């Protein structure tokens, strides 16, 4: 049985040369501010995630999967380009509605890689890699044929009217004031402003299903990227899920995301392509612990969003491809950086001619051999040449050269997560064995670890010598005239930017 699977898998690896084999479809599911401990299949006792749990049960669950940043925009840049955000310039922090910068157009995204092989491509959900003058940086300029979604986070605009559960109760907390309400875009056109958040996931599910059906009908391989705004703050859900989870608004938001995943799965089954589709799921960064019991949960990982501890950057991940990926759990080291090279390999697409940081992970997916990845580098939210990487994972060891808490991880009992845990340099670096101590509690400070520290130092030096920082896109600043407005020349802004069209 396994031999046959291996042969099929190997055949898929060289799809272009395999008589009769058609290249696989790809569905990339991406959650927002979701912690290592948030899913049912990653141990949360009362999250209701039946569809993600089903993917995990019939697919490969990763225990050691990393993103490249503990906040949104940089993590998304790395996911789509296979390069650390320092190269593409998506730092420090995140993009804003009026940001002048965005993901540079000369970066090559997964969508562009797959388009060379005739794939149809779509994104449904939260982009957060820039809008810019006349939509310069929108997904439609980055290889996506179509787009339905919000251009940035749903708290980056006044959201006081967003109702939570019960449906007539305002959501907990505040969002950004003095900017336009968050628009819903269809390709480059503003379809609604403000976006009707209570209907959003329903619209996403319909858009995704339509895209899949159309691609199947056209007999074209497809790439669907679904980065949800769930489970980012403020957590809420539409009518079908509000109040349904024992976990409160966060659980409702997660359930609604899981429901859209279920709808996508159902469409893949009904259109008969589920066995020819690689589904990959992960999240962009750790949970926002400052929201206390209303935020996510990093499980046994230390701290959360905004920090370079495990809770900030280790994410749940699942790969699913019936008949090709054997159900199970892998402890292999892997990263969101590795998705672009993996999809490229499976599609028979050439890699972009740039310095990639990702390595393809078909050996892990098809159980053919060990991971090609031995290291992971942890950049803070504000990377700089001066400080370099804050931490390095090499094999099962992690060394912290700098540590710092974060506002996003405020209010946990662990003081090292707090904003008041200021930047601290460690010489020698703090050293943890993540296999015996995944929670980073017990520093290995004895001399017997000198060889490990030396090895990590060498790996760090080699990596940093290869790192060329791209011009910071976020430091280009903000121009309020660039905020997306459905009536471009109206006054007074931002209040006049309102268009109440139905979905
Ligand atoms: C994109 O253009 C910028 C500015 O010319 C350059 O610095 C950068 O290296 C280019 N990036 C790629 C991936 O070619
Ligand atoms: C932006 O779009 C507007 C309206 O379509 C147009 O008048 C303007 O020239 C465009 N600006 C640039 C720099 O392309
Ligand atoms: C919130 O709702 C009130 C009353 O319906 C309305 O006057 C106000 O403009 C809304 N605010 C936003 C930011 O949508
Ligand atoms: C997918 O493969 C499974 C197992 O071989 C089979 O039972 C199922 O019918 C297939 N589904 C489709 C839609 O081809």
């Amino acid at each position: 049985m396994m031999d046959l699977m291996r042969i099929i898998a190997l055949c898929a690896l060289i799809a272009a040369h395999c008589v009769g084999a058609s290249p696989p479809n790809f569905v990339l599911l991406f959650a927002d501010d979701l912690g290592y401990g948030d899913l049912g299949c990653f141990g949360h006792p009362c999250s209701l995630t039946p569809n993600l749990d089903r993917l995990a049960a019939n697919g490969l669950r990763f225990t050691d999967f990393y993103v490249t940043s503990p906040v949104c925009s940089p993590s998304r840049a790395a996911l789509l380009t296979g390069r650390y955000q320092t190269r593409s310039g998506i730092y420090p922090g995140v993009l804003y509605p009026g940001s002048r910068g965005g993901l540079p157009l000369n970066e090559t995204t997964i969508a562009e890689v797959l388009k060379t092989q005739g794939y149809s491509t779509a994104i449904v959900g939260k982009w957060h890699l820039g809008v810019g003058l006349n939509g310069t940086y929108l997904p439609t300029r980055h290889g996506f044929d179509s787009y339905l979604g919000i251009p940035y986070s749903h708290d980056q605009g006044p959201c006081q009217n967003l109702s939570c559960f019960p449906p007539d109760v305002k959501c907990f907390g505040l969002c950004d004031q003095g900017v336009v309400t968050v628009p819903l875009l269809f390709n480059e056109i503003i379809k609604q402003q403000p976006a009707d958040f209570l209907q959003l996931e329903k619209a996403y599910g319909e858009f995704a299903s339509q895209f899949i059906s159309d691609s199947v009908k056209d007999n074209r391989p497809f790439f669907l990227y679904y980065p949800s705004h769930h489970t980012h703050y403020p957590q809420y859900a539409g009518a079908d899920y509000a109040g349904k989870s024992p976990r409160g608004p966060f659980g409702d938001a997660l359930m609604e995301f899981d429901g859209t995943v279920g709808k996508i799965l159902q469409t893949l089954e009904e259109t008969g392509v589920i066995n020819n589709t690689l589904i990959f799921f992960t999240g962009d960064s750790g949970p926002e612990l400052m929201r206390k019991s209303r935020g996510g949960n990093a499980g046994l990982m230390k701290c959360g969003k905004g920090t370079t501890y495990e809770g900030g950057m280790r994410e749940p991940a699942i790969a699913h491809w019936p008949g090709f990926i054997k159900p199970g759990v892998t402890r292999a080291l892997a990263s969101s950086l590795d998705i672009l090279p993996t999809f490229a390999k499976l599609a028979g697409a050439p890699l972009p001619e740039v310095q990639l940081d990702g390595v393809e992970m078909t050996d892990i997916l098809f159980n053919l051999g060990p991971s090609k990845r031995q290291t992971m580098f942890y950049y803070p939210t504000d990377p700089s040449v001066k400080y370099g990487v804050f931490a390095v994972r090499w094999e099962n060891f992690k060394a912290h050269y700098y540590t710092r808490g974060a506002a996003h991880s405020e209010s946990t009992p662990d003081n090292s997560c707090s904003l008041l845990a200021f930047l601290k340099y460690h010489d020698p670096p703090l050293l943890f064995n993540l296999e015996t101590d995944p929670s980073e509690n017990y520093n290995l400070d004895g001399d017997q670890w000198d060889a490990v520290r030396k090895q990590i130092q060498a790996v760090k030096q080699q990596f940093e010598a290869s790192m060329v920082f791209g011009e910071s896109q976020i430091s280009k600043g903000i121009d309020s005239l660039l905020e997306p407005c459905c009536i471009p020349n109206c006054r007074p802004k931002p209040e006049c930017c309102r268009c109440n069209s139905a979905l």
Side-chain angles (χ1 to χ4, degrees), residues 268-275 322-323:
L268 293 170
E269 276 155 6
E270 285 171 1
T271 53
V273 295
I274 186 82
N275 292 343

Side-chain angles (χ1 to χ4, degrees), residues 158-161 181 194 498:
C159 69
Q160 53 270 46
N161 288 4
T181 55
R498 303 193 141 262

